[in-house]
Amino acid sequence: DDWAFAEAGNVKCVAPLMLKQVHSLGGSIAVFHMPERGFREASFEALKEFLEGIQERNLQCITLSEMELKSSKINTDSMGNKEQS
């Protein structure tokens, strides 16, 4: 759990740990805890570092709605091969 490190005071490891789990092929879903005043405020810094890391890899973030739309445009033929529609 990445936040076990953060709660132990090692906030700088959250974004690098999450970036190691990003897959450029097929995509990934990243979930950050919602920060509150005085609680998990480090989420803002971790999110900023994570987004910078995504940008450095020439990847992009999209919403779940956009991901659903893109995945619905991919059909599978009778052999299980994916083809764009």
Side-chain angles (χ1 to χ4, degrees), residues 2 8 11-12 16 19-21 23-24 27 29 42 52 54-55 57-58 60 69 71 73-74 80 82-83:
D2 52 347
V11 175
K12 285 291 192 185
L19 285 166
K20 284 182 185 176
Q21 299 173 33
H23 300 281
S24 58
I29 297 175
E52 288 170 355
I54 292 294
Q55 189 175 22
R57 295 176 181 197
N58 293 319
Q60 72 179 114
L69 181 63
S71 68
K73 291 182 179 181
I74 297 175
K82 292 182 181 179
E83 52 185 30

Side-chain angles (χ1 to χ4, degrees), residues 27-47:
S28 297
I29 297 175
V31 178
F32 283 82
H33 293 280
M34 187 68 173
E36 299 175 31
R37 197 176 309 260
F39 183 67
R40 290 193 177 127
E41 289 182 14
S43 293
F44 289 121
E45 186 62 30
L47 179 59

